[in-house]
Amino acid sequence: MKIICIGRNYTEHIDELENERPTEPVIFLKPDTAVLLKKQPFFIPDFSQDVHYEVEVLVKINKVGKYIQPKFAHKYYEEIGLGIDFTARDVQSQLKEKGLPWEKAKAFDGSAIIGEKWFPKDQFQNLQNLNFSLEKNGEVVQKGNTKHMLYQIDEIIGYVSEFFTLKIGDVIFTGTPKGVGSVKTNDVLNGFIEKESVFQIKIK
């Protein structure tokens, strides 16, 4: 499987990190070794002193596709999920200053949380108006709605498929809203789509 991530897809998050607004989707990849095994805690890596959570709506690809037109993109996925793109922010900042790729900060082992629950997309009236949130130790730290995406799911699928053949089981992380922040040992993160719990992660 491929894990395809979209960066800078929510305006307020772009402002939060003082990034430049993109004129096309920002794409980066995570290897399958980035997926945290089910029911396992997330261990803060030794090489970072500032790991951030970024909650994101996920899309699971269900058929092979290349050069997919956005108007047909809905045929290439049936399920929506939720996850976290863990980011070693201090490492990322160092890499960005040097104009280097982000992989060490974004693609390390365990950096991709994929919630155990997947939902049929037809369960939701409108995927372009989907509420999701993240709680840290019982307090809401991120709240988002897909209507605030710069690039919607079908646009993302169309764009990504220009560069990468999409295969069954590939997962797309569609971007994070504002509110990202650091994690510490013993924190507990809970993710929700429309108030339904999707995952719980303990930080070690």
Side-chain angles (χ1 to χ4, degrees):
M1 66 177 291
K2 294 189 293 296
I3 303 168
I4 302 161
C5 303
I6 306 300
R8 304 179 187 177
N9 201 25
Y10 286 79
T11 304
E12 291 183 344
H13 176 58
I14 294 171
D15 296 340
E16 178 179 49
L17 296 186
E18 298 180 348
N19 286 323
E20 184 178 337
R21 181 168 175 156
T23 56
E24 57 189 23
V26 175
I27 301 173
F28 61 94
L29 303 179
K30 291 179 185 262
D32 57 4
T33 50
V35 178
L36 188 69
L37 298 178
K38 294 185 184 304
K39 304 190 183 302
Q40 294 297 309
F42 172 79
F43 288 89
I44 298 173
D46 294 337
F47 56 77
S48 177
Q49 303 301 313
D50 190 24
V51 173
H52 282 202
Y53 53 78
E54 299 186 13
V55 71
E56 309 198 14
V57 172
L58 311 182
V59 178
K60 186 191 291 184
I61 300 300
N62 70 345
K63 62 189 293 189
V64 176
K66 178 71 174 172
Y67 295 115
I68 301 165
Q69 294 182 44
K71 65 181 179 181
F72 298 127
H74 65 278
K75 297 181 179 181
Y76 290 81
Y77 65 101
E78 293 294 337
E79 294 179 302
I80 298 295
L82 195 72
I84 295 177
D85 164 24
F86 277 119
T87 304
R89 191 71 70 201
D90 48 355
V91 176
Q92 186 188 37
S93 295
Q94 294 166 12
L95 294 169
K96 287 169 67 176
E97 285 176 6
K98 297 175 182 178
L100 297 173
W102 300 348
E103 275 76 6
K104 287 194 292 186
K106 285 281 194 180
F108 58 88
D109 291 353
S111 62
I113 307 303
I114 296 177
E116 295 184 20
K117 290 185 181 179
W118 288 90
F119 302 90
K121 66 181 182 183
D122 295 341
Q123 177 176 328
F124 307 106
Q125 289 186 346
N126 185 0
L127 294 182
Q128 296 185 23
N129 188 15
L130 192 64
N131 293 299
F132 60 102
S133 62
L134 183 73
E135 291 183 359
K136 183 173 78 168
N137 304 327
E139 178 183 352
V140 176
V141 288
Q142 279 191 281
K143 287 178 68 175
N145 186 295
T146 52
K147 68 184 177 184
H148 296 133
M149 286 181 173
L150 294 178
Y151 303 99
Q152 289 291 333
I153 291 171
D154 291 355
E155 293 178 88
I156 291 169
I157 289 174
Y159 184 80
V160 167
S161 71
E162 292 181 29
F163 304 93
F164 311 113
T165 297
L166 294 176
K167 292 188 173 183
I168 297 169
D170 287 350
V171 174
I172 299 177
F173 280 60
T174 60
T176 194
K178 72 173 183 176
V180 301
S182 59
V183 293
K184 295 187 172 109
T185 302
N186 297 322
D187 282 346
V188 177
L189 304 178
N190 288 276
F192 300 85
I193 292 182
E194 296 291 358
K195 299 183 179 179
E196 184 160 356
S197 178
V198 183
F199 62 76
Q200 181 180 90
I201 301 295
K202 295 180 180 179
I203 308 299
K204 297 288 189 182

